[in-house]
Amino acid sequence: MNKMTKVSTAVDPITLQVIRGSLETIAEEMGHVLYRMSFSSIIRESQDLGAGLFDVDFNTLCESESTPMHIGSIPGYLRGIAETLEDGEWYEGDVVVHNHPYHGASHTPDLAIVVPVFFRGRLVGFAGNTAHHVDIGAATPGLIIDVPDVYAEGMLFAGTKLYRKGEPNNAMWNYIRRNSRAAGQLVADIEAQIASARLGARRFAELLDKYGEETVFAAANQLMDYAERMIRQRIGEIPDGDYVAEGWLDDDGRNRDRRLKVKVTVRVRGDEVEVDLTGSADQTPTAYNVPFEGSTKVAAYAGFRKLLLDAATSEVRVPSNEGSFRPIKVTAPLGSIFNPRPPASAEARFTQCNRMIDLIIRALAPVMPEQVIAGSSASISFAAYSGVRPSGDYWVFLEVNEGAYGGRPRSDGPDSIDNLMANTRNNPLEDLAMHIPMICDRYELRDDAPPGAGEFRGGIGVVKAQRVLTSAFITHESERHTEAPWGIFGGQDGAVGRCTITNPNRPGETREMHSKFSGLAVGPDDVMTYYSPNGGGYGDPLNRPAAKVLEDVLDGYCSVARAREVYGVVVDPEAETVDLAATEKLRLAMQKHD
């Protein structure tokens, strides 16, 4: 492998910004091609994917604006490919597929496709992407939780060439077709990934040809150094110290009476930070573990980019590249839930990562009150619905349901939205009904439990009821049925999540489900209803403007009784007004009582 030495030549500001824009456009174009060409709804509609360009040292040069966990994980994939690459060498025309969680992958359903970039006969970088696939032949269709080891997760690829020197590896393609319940979608989606990666490689080579290899890589290095300087500057503004927060996960998907501890210690020293997960639960006997390289580290990177480089609150938009990862160290003991020993299964890893970010925010709240938010749902509802058609073919549908953010320093938490490190879109209900024997009976903001009260209230989660029309199987991965999103600075906690199974033909019969379950057999007209957690509140509820409380009452987000008891606001629902005098008197009395 020919590695290009780091170029020290400074690039003028105008050329630097032109090259930056070109790199970012390439990454976005790769992402667009991938989701526009894909067949499965999890990629085509939800955009559960990431794409970017990388140098020969596996540094991220640019990334698409997709789900942060995807693109941030590809350097780990590249390091794993370097360990396992078929032939041990890259050639022009090669296409590699990789998903092994103990060789850098985020988790097995996220297949990476990597194409080498050659320029004038030399390897100069890589174009790569990842996407979540609908079924890779695991023990249960679509998703898995309660399985004994990594080998039950489906097909494992490690540095495997689908094309070698431009020629297809037909044996491997046939293997893929014969080991998936949704082979047609899987193969078509992999082909979309290949098209995306090849486009990225071609655009990268065109950029090098236009500006010269030395100039492009000099610009890329300057942009990485700039991102590193900016995040180091932000870290340096945090007082040195050790900041600790703890939380609990519901269970591992099998042992229902055993909650799992997540402990986060954030160590700030100068312009560097360490996220230490020592004290978190030991690895589980199910798939509820987190691959360290491909997911644990990436979640920490995403958390600090969110806290410190938020484009909405920063004066300038810092490029998303390797530089923002450099000052962040991640520690997790081998054998723990965040760094399992092989061959432990580690497919169901998302909610643990989101809770880690949630706790990073909570740990830093005392010293960053104007940057943090209250507790978010910090979970994910990932559901796999499947069944067998009369023809004998499987249908498989993957769905990501929204959660809610916690209240913020200057505004309420957003309602019904992916949060923290998730960034997928919802799947159109019309698309569902056209392709899958299912109907959505209900999809709206949750109304059975209030969001966390505060000067700025928590966001409201979603409630979605999906009805299967035939016999089917459901696997569901979610979290936070036992520990509500936390309130902060006087704000109240939000609401825990729920999941039920009902059937309109058996009214009054409701089955309360655990937050995660595997391969549940259901019958025609059975309905799974998911209620995502509501966010926690930020600040004292008595400081919330009475007009805002009135708006929430009129919108149905807050009852008249709750407005009075929690916010100290006396609302006349008939007149749709606030009794200001009574409200002032009540709030004074409540403040004295506190």
Side-chain angles (χ1 to χ4, degrees), residues 77-109:
Y77 280 83
L78 289 167
R79 289 188 289 271
I81 291 171
E83 298 168 356
T84 60
L85 183 63
E86 187 179 318
D87 300 338
E89 190 65 61
W90 287 100
Y91 303 100
E92 290 196 61
D94 282 355
V95 175
V96 164
V97 61
H98 189 87
N99 74 331
H100 202 300
Y102 291 105
H103 290 286
S106 58
H107 70 159
T108 46

Side-chain angles (χ1 to χ4, degrees), residues 492 541-542 559-570 586 590:
Q492 295 186 359
L542 297 180
S559 67
V560 172
R562 181 173 172 81
R564 184 184 189 97
E565 294 164 6
V566 176
Y567 289 101
V569 175
V570 181
L586 177 59
M590 292 173 71

Side-chain angles (χ1 to χ4, degrees), residues 575-593:
E576 298 185 351
T577 59
V578 172
D579 185 330
L580 295 178
T583 294
E584 182 178 3
K585 182 180 178 180
L586 177 59
R587 283 187 159 180
L588 283 172
M590 292 173 71
Q591 287 169 349
K592 288 179 181 178
H593 180 73

